[in-house]
Amino acid sequence: MIQDAIWTPSDNDLHAEKTRIATEAGVIGQEKLEVLARAAFAAKDRTYSPYSHFPVGAAVLDTKGTIHTGQNIEVATYSEAAHAEEQAIKNAVSTGVIASQGRMFVRAIAATAAPCGRCRQIIAEFSDNPLVIILDTNGNIQTITSLVIFLPLAFSPKDLPGQ
Ligand code: THU
Ligand code: ZN
């Protein structure tokens, strides 16, 4: 039956996820989340965005508690722009986190704008449903949600044979 194939998140799923987000935010702690937010906001100042004039900063909290930052870096050809969230993750990888923490090292990621679809996919590669934190224009935490809310039914390494 075609009707049986229809899917949206259930009210129960959404409620359970909201509870999980609240618990995880509590375990990480407000102080650490505010440090993460400040790191993302400060990273914005290191932007290279002469074409869009839209600086973006991001910061990853890894599973060992270390923070890694990134900011957007544009190119005159436009489509080669590196996004802040992508850079924060790639900078973390460059410090060797895969060897010490494994592929799913992103516990939380904060950014000064909502992550685009491509960044959501990159976050998915290196996490198991992390907190996603969006800051307001003053650098304060505006929204705390999670990747599964941003990217339900994601394609991920588990969809590839042998992964
Ligand atoms: N941008 C990011 O850095 N992250 C996102 O996910 C959204 C967009 C950047 C790319 C570009 O340099 C500028 O914001 C305007 O799109
Ligand atoms: Zn992006």
Side-chain angles (χ1 to χ4, degrees):
M1 260 294 276
I2 200 89
Q3 293 294 329
D4 295 337
I6 294 170
W7 181 88
T8 62
S10 70
D11 291 350
N12 271 352
D13 288 350
L14 288 171
H15 185 261
E17 183 58 8
K18 190 169 190 174
T19 303
R20 191 196 70 84
I21 291 166
T23 303
E24 176 67 347
V27 171
I28 293 170
Q30 183 169 337
E31 204 175 314
K32 189 78 179 178
L33 292 177
E34 282 171 356
V35 170
L36 186 69
R38 278 198 293 278
F41 195 67
K44 194 162 72 88
D45 292 340
R46 297 189 287 275
T47 186
Y48 175 70
S49 47
Y51 309 111
S52 73
H53 304 286
F54 188 74
V56 183
V60 163
L61 177 69
D62 74 22
T63 51
K64 286 196 167 167
T66 301
I67 289 173
H68 310 265
T69 63
Q71 65 292 313
N72 56 337
I73 304 172
E74 296 182 347
V75 178
T77 42
Y78 290 17
S79 52
E80 283 66 38
H83 290 194
E85 304 87 327
E86 170 190 9
Q87 287 301 108
I89 287 174
K90 290 177 180 176
N91 287 338
V93 171
S94 296
T95 71
V97 291
I98 302 286
S100 55
Q101 300 176 44
R103 172 173 69 83
M104 295 188 281
F105 66 84
V106 179
R107 186 169 187 187
I109 182 163
T112 61
C116 75
R118 179 170 173 272
C119 285
R120 293 174 197 197
Q121 190 66 44
I122 295 171
I123 297 165
E125 183 73 20
F126 297 104
S127 64
D128 179 15
N129 196 16
L131 298 189
V132 180
I133 298 154
I134 303 171
L135 309 184
D136 67 18
T137 51
N138 297 315
N140 298 312
I141 293 174
Q142 183 172 65
T143 303
I144 304 182
T145 185
S146 69
L147 191 65
V148 79
I149 297 296
F150 265 135
L151 193 65
L153 305 184
F155 182 88
S156 77
K158 70 174 170 8
D159 295 301
L160 294 174
Q163 297 295 312

